[in-house]
Amino acid sequence: RDETGMPPRAPPPAAFPSLDAYYLHHLRSCSTPRHAAAVHAHVVRAHPFPSLFLRNTLLAAYCRLGGPARRLLDEMPRANAVSFNLLIDAYSRSGQADASLETFTRARHSVGVKADRFTYAAALAACSRAGRLREGKAVHALAVLEGLTGGVFVSNSLVSMYARCGDMGQARRVFDAAQERDDVSWNALVSGYVRAGAHDDMLRVFALMRRSGIGLNSFALGSVIKCCAGSDDSVRDIAAAVHGCVVKAGLDSDVFLASAMVDMYAKKGALSEAVALFKSVHDPNVVVFNAMIAGLCRDGAAVGMDVLREALCLYSEVQSQGMEPTEFTFSSVIRACNLAGDLEFGKQIHGQVIKYCFQGDDFIGSPLIDLYFNSGCMEDGFRCFRSLPKQDVVTWTAMISGCVQNELFERALTLFHELLAAGLKPDPFTISTVMNACASLAVARTGEQIQCFATKSGFGRFTAIGNSCIHMYARSGDVDAAVRRFQEMELHDVVSWSAIISSHAQHGCAREALRFFSEMVDAKVVPNEITFLGVLTACSHGGLVDEGLRYYEIMQEEYALSPTIKHCTCVVDLLGRAGRLGDAEAFIRDSIFHDEPVIWRSLLASCRIHRDMERGQLVADRIMELQPSSSASYVNLYNIYLDAGELSLASKIRDVMKERGVKKEPGLSWIELRSGVHSFVAGDKSHPESNTIYSKLAEMLSKIDKLTATDTSGTKSDDITRNEQSWMNWHSEKLAVALGLIHLPQPAPIRVMKNLRVCRDCHLAMKLISKSENREIILRDAIRFHHFRDGSCSCADYW
């Protein structure tokens, strides 16, 4: 025997009538390209006159297993249509449309070769897979010239090609002109309409198919079920009718259709029907289980914890029945763990993922990252990300979204830059998420760069991108830019209107916010809870008590929206601003949120503004009872005593904080300049320009002193003791403003962000600095935006 393992030039065994039959037997058993090449080598050496059939079989083996099929065709002394058809189809299946069409052209011009219906069908399949509509039309024209379009085989290929290329009008014309049709013809047209989202046309064709007496099969019914699952509520009732067709056709035991129908009912929110159907399946396989698990956790907010637990139990049943879970099983179960907040069960599923060697699957990686990030396990999430052999855009987006969710905004921006450096193209959701990080950091310059990138990438027209831009500009203190972006958008959805209303509300532009709300109603866009939160915030910041209470009633009576804790807090703030502290307290006690600390904190802030020390003490005691570890109530009560001149009581509050181990969150302010983002804490001297900053701050304070010495408007503070004044002069927002005055040109406003509520001394200082320096200062604190111009603030000294 030679190196190929076969006897050289030996006659075939007696069991084979000829050498062709002998080699055909070996070719049929080939499972690798190496085996096919070994047979080929032996044919060349030992078979002087191989038949065309043998050569075509060898060509088919190369096309199936991989090998020099093109070279073999070129070396064949004689070829026929079958030879070219094999290569055209092989190129088409491997995604090489150009090579496939080139071989088709060669077949048409080869001497002695007559292109048949299979040749044209293979060429049309290549156009279909690659979406080459123009080339597909050319092949169609050639088929007409050859007289091949009358046959059902070519006409079906034409319908499929036009449908896959998105030209359903031409697909329907070819279908209607066909001389004969079979079930493949109908299936191709139905699936084409499903793929195009033309649900009404699909249903009409399906009804016509039934009237024509065409027998239903699982493929046609699967396409119809998919259409019903992906459509809106207008065809929800048809789902049951299609289910009836499945039963009448005797295909209700088909697991493929069963899984599709479970998915259909779940997507329609008909979980009871989905569960009943699932239980009726005689022997469900893992695909049916996957559909049921995915259906149960499709909308965690709507289905509730019990249903999510049922999804987790189904996974246990998959294991108990000895089924091998797939990547879709794990993806759905991890999502159920995520929605249920069951980290421990999720970790066990993660172990199963590793056991079944799915740890490198991108489809599972993103849900795992979401699970760990939503549970606050950041390092575990990063480890999952790094363990993936290939990070696609979905996994990068999951990482960025997790960082934003956990307030790691700078890390989110870093990941976005790494994504770009890796040569990946972000999708609109990625960009929208990064824009939200820019909004939280209030880095407008970086946000503008990302907006430009989105525009260059062709995403600028997406509504989600526009909404994120509005939010980013508003949170960065540039409400005018937010309005311009809103006006540039082609389509405004409820998020767009809510964003622009909330933007004006946070900036104290109450009347503008209400004007946008009126325009929203006129545009027939139905407001949601977020919209009314913006409206109530606008009324609160603008002191529009009667309007705010009216909108609070409209929200419940006209739009049937239930107030959340945020809505009720706005009402308390609204009443407190107007000095109606008794009404505000009564509103809290009558509310279902009377045990929530945040709503009491709003009343406590009003007590300080209106100097109601007695009520403030009672409210502070209530907050400390509900949330003893929060520093906000202690600080507010301390300030109330300090404002009232009760220094001994204020000192006791500090002592209580020390005894209980309550620490005040440190104040942090930052400003974005051309050189980057610069952050400060009180008394910070770590900045490279620290000496220059403090010199500028001293100059600013000197101007303030001269201004207040001649000011008779009553703006001078009487509430700050000299012992505290020195430290307050070094508060972080003042340092940030000093740096802004050093580097920003005269016309540019100074935008500073702070993580806490601005203190009264700094608020007064900002008013005076805006007047003495003749500069606009925009300060965003934890409550709202303050626009300081010519010695006054947009909040009217109520915040």
Side-chain angles (χ1 to χ4, degrees):
R1 291 179 179 270
D2 61 11
E3 65 274 11
T4 66
M6 301 180 67
R9 301 184 180 276
F16 298 98
S18 65
L19 282 176
D20 273 13
Y22 177 61
Y23 289 122
L24 288 172
H25 169 74
H26 283 287
L27 284 173
R28 292 189 185 100
S29 63
C30 287
S31 58
T32 66
R34 184 178 179 181
H35 292 161
V39 176
H40 186 189
H42 205 278
V43 168
V44 171
R45 294 177 58 185
H47 196 342
F49 303 108
S51 66
L52 179 59
F53 184 77
L54 175 59
R55 293 181 187 275
N56 283 342
T57 305
L58 180 58
L59 181 64
Y62 277 141
C63 290
R64 174 171 53 89
L65 302 173
R70 174 64 182 268
R71 189 175 69 185
L72 176 61
L73 180 63
D74 293 341
E75 294 174 352
M76 288 171 62
R78 186 169 63 89
N80 62 4
V82 175
S83 312
F84 285 97
N85 295 349
L86 288 169
L87 193 57
I88 293 170
D89 183 66
Y91 279 134
S92 171
R93 291 181 182 278
S94 63
Q96 302 179 63
D98 290 333
S100 180
L101 294 175
E102 179 188 350
T103 307
F104 169 73
T105 303
R106 181 181 168 190
R108 292 186 59 253
H109 293 92
S110 294
V111 178
V113 176
K114 177 66 175 177
D116 57 15
R117 55 178 181 158
F118 300 103
T119 313
Y120 282 88
L124 288 169
C127 298
S128 174
R129 291 189 178 101
R132 300 284 190 86
L133 179 60
R134 182 178 178 182
E135 289 84 347
K137 288 182 177 180
V139 175
H140 183 183
L142 293 171
V144 172
L145 292 176
E146 295 292 336
L148 296 173
T149 55
V152 66
F153 191 75
V154 174
S155 66
N156 287 349
S157 298
L158 285 169
V159 172
S160 178
M161 184 274 294
Y162 282 117
R164 285 182 173 271
C165 292
D167 191 348
M168 287 308 302
Q170 186 63 24
R172 183 60 185 267
R173 284 189 286 273
V174 172
F175 176 85
D176 292 339
Q179 298 175 6
E180 56 177 314
R181 306 186 189 103
D182 57 11
D183 56 348
V184 177
S185 315
W186 291 94
N187 293 343
L189 190 63
V190 168
S191 62
Y193 279 127
V194 172
R195 190 179 297 108
H199 303 139
D200 293 340
D201 291 327
M202 184 281 299
L203 292 172
R204 281 192 287 268
V205 171
F206 180 68
L208 180 61
M209 179 180 179
R210 295 286 294 144
R211 290 195 296 270
S212 300
I214 302 298
L216 296 177
N217 55 32
S218 60
F219 184 86
L221 287 168
S223 297
V224 176
I225 293 168
K226 180 181 178 181
C227 172
C228 293
S231 61
D232 55 21
D233 292 337
S234 61
V235 296
R236 180 172 180 174
D237 294 338
I238 300 176
V242 175
H243 188 179
C245 291
V246 173
V247 175
K248 288 181 180 179
L251 296 172
D252 49 318
S253 60
D254 189 303
V255 291
F256 169 74
L257 293 179
S259 62
M261 287 189 293
V262 168
D263 180 67
M264 171 186 67
Y265 280 124
K267 284 181 177 178
K268 294 300 174 187
L271 278 179
S272 57
E273 289 88 341
V275 172
L277 177 59
F278 172 78
K279 291 180 177 179
S280 70
V281 179
H282 175 63
D283 189 16
N285 61 8
V286 69
V287 178
V288 182
F289 272 96
N290 290 349
M292 191 68 255
I293 294 171
L296 289 172
C297 62
R298 188 167 303 281
D299 187 357
V303 300
M305 295 296 294
D306 292 339
V307 177
L308 292 174
R309 294 291 179 187
E310 179 64 24
L312 301 181
C313 291
L314 282 178
Y315 175 74
S316 300
E317 189 174 343
V318 169
Q319 288 190 306
S320 65
Q321 293 189 15
M323 299 181 190
E324 186 168 319
T326 67
E327 62 270 30
F328 301 103
T329 315
F330 285 122
S331 176
S332 297
V333 174
I334 293 168
R335 173 173 166 77
C337 294
N338 196 359
L339 293 172
D342 196 334
L343 177 62
E344 291 306 315
F345 197 95
K347 287 182 176 180
Q348 296 177 37
I349 299 299
H350 191 178
Q352 292 286 310
V353 169
I354 296 173
K355 175 183 176 181
Y356 287 97
C357 300
F358 283 118
Q359 63 269 26
D361 193 289
D362 297 337
F363 195 68
I364 298 174
S366 294
L368 273 175
I369 291 170
D370 289 338
L371 171 69
Y372 286 119
F373 274 14
N374 289 341
S375 303
C377 302
M378 304 298 297
E379 289 304 318
D380 290 332
F382 279 109
R383 274 194 291 270
C384 284
F385 177 72
R386 287 191 292 266
S387 69
L388 293 174
K390 179 184 176 183
Q391 290 98 7
D392 60 6
V393 173
V394 176
T395 52
W396 279 97
T397 303
M399 288 292 295
I400 294 170
S401 178
C403 288
V404 172
Q405 180 180 339
N406 287 274
E407 299 184 356
L408 300 176
F409 307 117
E410 294 180 353
R411 187 66 181 273
L413 293 178
T414 301
L415 285 173
F416 180 72
H417 290 301
E418 291 177 6
L419 181 154
L420 297 178
L424 296 176
K425 184 179 179 181
D427 58 21
F429 184 75
T430 314
I431 296 176
S432 177
T433 305
V434 176
M435 294 284 280
N436 289 335
C438 295
S440 298
L441 289 173
V443 285
R445 185 180 297 275
T446 304
E448 287 172 352
Q449 294 173 356
I450 295 175
Q451 181 189 352
C452 292
F453 176 84
T455 303
K456 290 181 180 179
S457 302
F459 299 142
R461 60 184 178 84
F462 282 76
T463 304
I465 299 295
N467 295 341
S468 297
C469 285
I470 294 171
H471 181 60
M472 184 272 296
Y473 282 121
R475 293 279 290 170
S476 300
D478 194 348
V479 70
D480 294 332
V483 172
R484 286 194 299 271
R485 187 67 187 92
F486 178 82
Q487 294 172 342
E488 292 169 358
M489 293 173 62
E490 299 177 3
L491 176 66
H492 299 135
D493 59 10
V494 64
V495 179
S496 315
W497 288 103
S498 300
I500 198 65
I501 291 169
S502 298
S503 300
H504 285 85
Q506 290 295 326
H507 285 265
C509 307
R511 292 298 179 186
E512 285 296 302
L514 297 183
R515 179 178 66 81
F516 276 109
F517 179 77
S518 298
E519 292 180 7
M520 175 184 182
V521 174
D522 293 340
K524 307 300 181 184
V525 179
V526 180
N528 59 15
E529 293 90 345
I530 306 299
T531 313
F532 277 103
L533 181 61
V535 170
L536 292 174
T537 301
C539 294
S540 173
H541 289 174
L544 307 177
V545 181
D546 294 336
E547 290 90 335
L549 295 176
R550 180 169 59 87
Y551 282 118
Y552 183 74
E553 294 178 359
I554 290 174
M555 178 182 72
Q556 300 174 81
E557 296 176 0
E558 295 187 15
Y559 294 96
L561 297 174
S562 300
T564 65
I565 180 64
K566 293 183 178 180
H567 296 105
C568 294
T569 303
C570 282
V571 173
V572 171
D573 187 69
L574 186 71
L575 295 170
R577 174 183 288 273
R580 295 166 56 177
L581 302 181
D583 292 339
E585 184 176 358
F587 178 84
I588 294 175
R589 296 191 183 281
D590 292 340
S591 168
I592 60 173
F593 304 108
H594 57 82
D595 288 334
E596 295 292 336
V598 63
I599 197 169
W600 287 101
R601 279 200 291 269
S602 178
L603 179 58
L604 182 60
S606 300
C607 291
R608 183 192 175 189
I609 295 295
H610 294 286
R611 300 178 183 271
D612 190 337
M613 187 177 71
E614 182 179 352
R615 191 187 304 273
Q617 185 173 359
L618 295 174
V619 171
D621 290 341
R622 175 62 173 157
I623 299 173
M624 294 175 193
E625 177 186 342
L626 295 172
Q627 198 175 26
S629 60
S630 174
S631 63
S633 54
Y634 296 91
V635 172
N636 268 326
L637 185 57
Y638 169 82
N639 288 327
I640 288 175
Y641 287 143
L642 199 64
D643 293 344
E646 299 290 346
L647 300 182
S648 60
L649 293 176
S651 179
K652 287 182 180 179
I653 292 298
R654 282 192 169 178
D655 294 338
V656 170
M657 291 179 67
K658 291 179 181 179
E659 291 174 5
R660 298 180 180 179
V662 178
K663 295 183 179 180
K664 180 179 178 294
E665 181 183 358
L668 176 70
S669 298
W670 64 94
I671 183 172
E672 184 185 23
L673 303 175
R674 185 181 296 275
S675 57
V677 178
H678 303 261
S679 57
F680 300 90
V681 294
D684 197 339
K685 294 189 178 181
S686 62
H687 195 277
E689 299 180 61
S690 180
N691 293 335
T692 307
I693 291 172
Y694 277 93
S695 297
K696 184 63 178 179
L697 181 57
E699 178 187 331
M700 291 159 44
L701 296 176
S702 176
K703 290 182 180 179
I704 289 177
D705 289 339
K706 293 178 181 178
L707 188 64
T708 55
T710 59
D711 193 357
T712 59
S713 61
T715 58
K716 187 172 182 178
S717 174
D718 298 323
D719 304 315
I720 308 299
T721 66
R722 290 189 177 275
N723 292 334
E724 297 175 310
Q725 188 65 53
S726 177
W727 182 253
M728 288 184 176
N729 286 343
W730 295 350
H731 273 187
S732 57
E733 53 265 57
K734 292 177 181 174
L735 298 175
V737 169
L739 183 63
L741 288 172
I742 293 170
H743 288 283
L744 292 175
Q746 178 62 34
I750 298 171
R751 294 186 174 92
V752 174
M753 312 298 150
K754 182 167 182 169
N755 64 329
L756 302 178
R757 185 193 298 250
V758 62
C759 70
R760 296 181 66 182
D761 177 74
C762 288
H763 190 270
L764 174 61
M766 294 300 160
K767 291 198 296 181
L768 297 173
I769 292 171
S770 70
K771 186 173 183 179
S772 63
E773 300 289 341
N774 192 26
R775 296 291 289 271
E776 179 184 5
I777 300 173
I778 301 173
L779 174 64
R780 189 191 84 186
D781 67 2
I783 305 300
R784 57 170 296 160
F785 277 89
H786 303 265
H787 291 254
F788 299 97
R789 297 186 186 94
D790 195 28
S792 62
C793 179
S794 59
C795 73
D797 297 336
Y798 189 101
W799 75 100

